[in-house]
C-alpha cells in the first residue's frame, strides 16, 4: 500500500478515534483478485471492539474518503475491524504494550529446522526481539524456560499468542 494512502487514512481518523476512545491499530490496502481492499484495524486500550465501533468508524471514514476521492483508487472495498486475539505486532508501540505476554514469532528462515517460536515477550531493541521460550520437558514436572533472541530483520511476523 502506498504510504500516501496510509498517511491519508491515519490523518482522517486521528481526531475522530481519539474522541471515541479508540486506537488505530493498523491500515493496509491489498489486492485480492480483481478487488482492492482497504483494511482498517481499530482497538481500545481497555475492553473489546464491537460491531457498533466498527460501523461508526466505517461510516465516518467512508464519508471522509469520499471527500478526497481524487487521492484514492478508483474503486476499493473498505473493511473496518478489530485486529483480533492473534493480532500482529508491527510497531514498537504495539510490542511495548504486550511486554510480558506470550507471542508467536515466525522467522523468514528456520533455526535448526524450526521457524515458529512461542514465548513470553521480554523486550526488544531496534535490532532484536527477546522472548523467554517455555518448553515442556517430558522428564520434569516444571517446564524449562529458555531465553531466545531474534534479529528483527529475520522475523517474518510477530503476533499475540492465543493460549487456551
Amino acid at each position: 500500500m502506498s504510504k500516501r494512502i496510509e498517511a491519508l487514512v491515519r490523518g482522517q481518523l486521528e481526531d475522530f478515534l481519539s474522541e471515541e476512545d479508540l486506537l488505530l491499530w493498523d491500515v493496509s490496502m491489498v489486492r485480492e483478485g480483481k478487488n482492492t481492499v482497504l483494511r482498517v484495524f481499530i482497538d481500545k486500550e481497555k475492553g473489546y471492539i464491537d460491531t457498533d465501533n466498527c460501523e461508526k468508524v466505517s461510516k465516518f471514514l467512508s464519508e471522509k474518503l469520499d471527500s478526497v476521492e481524487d487521492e484514492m483508487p478508483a474503486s476499493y472495498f473498505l473493511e473496518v475491524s478489530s485486529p483480533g486475539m492473534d493480532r500482529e505486532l508491527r510497531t514498537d508501540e504495539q510490542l511495548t504494550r504486550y511486554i510480558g505476554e506470550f507471542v508467536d514469532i515466525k522467522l523468514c528462515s528456520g533455526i535448526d529446522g524450526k521457524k515458529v517460536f512461542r514465548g513470553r515477550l521480554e523486550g526488544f531493541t531496534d535490532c532484536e526481539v527477546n522472548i523467554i521460550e517455555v518448553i515442556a520437558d517430558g522428564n520434569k514436572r516444571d517446564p524449562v524456560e529458555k531465553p531466545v533472541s531474534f534479529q528483527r530483520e529475520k522475523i517474518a511476523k510477530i503476533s499475540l499468542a492465543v493460549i487456551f
Side-chain angles (χ1 to χ4, degrees):
M1 176 182 69
S2 102
K3 295 289 183 191
R4 182 182 56 77
I5 291 175
E6 180 180 343
L8 175 69
V9 170
R10 288 179 184 281
Q12 295 292 331
L13 284 174
E14 188 174 351
D15 291 339
F16 178 77
L17 292 178
S18 180
E19 290 170 12
E20 297 293 322
D21 289 323
L22 298 171
L23 305 169
L24 181 61
W25 187 263
D26 200 9
V27 177
S28 67
M29 183 166 273
V30 296
R31 295 277 305 153
E32 291 184 353
K34 297 177 183 177
N35 299 318
T36 301
V37 181
L38 173 59
R39 288 197 175 99
V40 176
F41 297 95
I42 57 173
D43 198 18
K44 288 183 177 181
E45 195 67 42
K46 294 182 180 173
Y48 298 97
I49 295 296
D50 59 27
T51 55
D52 290 341
N53 298 130
C54 295
E55 182 179 356
K56 196 175 215 179
V57 171
S58 181
K59 284 181 180 178
F60 173 84
L61 184 58
S62 183
E63 289 175 12
K64 288 293 185 179
L65 294 179
D66 285 348
S67 72
V68 292
E69 65 184 38
D70 56 317
E71 298 183 51
M72 296 298 293
S75 69
Y76 62 93
F77 293 96
L78 173 62
E79 293 179 1
V80 177
S81 67
S82 158
M85 290 180 5
D86 61 344
R87 61 194 57 202
E88 185 172 356
L89 307 177
R90 292 182 174 207
T91 66
D92 287 356
E93 181 180 62
Q94 292 168 352
L95 287 169
T96 298
R97 181 174 173 186
Y98 289 102
I99 288 179
E101 302 291 332
F102 279 85
V103 295
D104 291 326
I105 295 181
K106 295 179 183 166
L107 302 177
C108 299
S109 59
I111 298 174
D112 297 328
K114 186 175 177 182
K115 287 181 82 170
V116 179
F117 293 80
R118 175 172 282 178
R120 190 173 51 253
L121 180 60
E122 290 296 300
F124 63 94
T125 66
D126 289 341
C127 301
E128 67 182 19
V129 174
N130 306 303
I131 66 170
I132 300 294
E133 187 178 23
V134 180
I135 305 166
D137 187 340
N139 299 326
K140 296 181 182 179
R141 178 172 232 142
D142 296 323
V144 175
E145 293 190 351
K146 175 183 165 189
V148 185
S149 294
F150 304 97
Q151 292 180 340
R152 284 181 91 160
E153 64 193 28
K154 296 186 178 184
I155 297 173
K157 182 178 180 181
I158 303 172
S159 56
L160 205 55
V162 178
I163 300 174
F164 294 99

